[in-house]
Structures are given as structure tokens and as C-alpha cells.
Amino acid sequence: MRAEVATLELRGPRAALGRFALAEPDVRAAGRVGTVSAREAEGELRVEVLLTAFH
């Protein structure tokens, strides 16, 4: 069973976000992903995932 991702948020350097942008269609195709947001920030790439609750 695949968990549904409600929100996928990335924060990090522009170069890392650019690499993710190239892979984003594959990430979406591999699973059920809702909202994806990316913001430029200093430091290492950080990824936060919020899963949709299921019963």
C-alpha cells in the first residue's frame, strides 16, 4: 500500500531545487502526491512530507 502525500515541501539551494524540478514528474508518477512547493533557502536541502491520514 502506498501512503498518499498531502504536501511535499522542499527548501534549499537553487541548484538542488533545480535538480528536483527535473525529477518532479517522476516523483508524481511514482505515487499519489498532492501539493509540491519549493523555496530557495540557505544550507542543505530539506524535505518535509505530510502524509494524508487514512483509516
Side-chain angles (χ1 to χ4, degrees):
M1 174 194 282
R2 291 184 184 171
E4 185 172 337
V5 174
T7 304
L8 176 63
E9 183 176 312
L10 297 97
R11 283 179 258 151
R14 180 180 298 169
L17 297 177
R19 287 189 299 273
F20 174 78
L22 295 173
E24 183 176 350
D26 292 332
V27 170
R28 287 183 175 276
R32 299 181 327 202
V33 179
T35 303
V36 176
S37 65
R39 320 187 278 212
E40 194 171 329
E42 292 185 20
E44 294 184 7
L45 179 65
R46 292 188 57 194
V47 179
E48 293 184 26
V49 178
L50 177 62
L51 300 176
T52 301
F54 60 94
H55 302 278

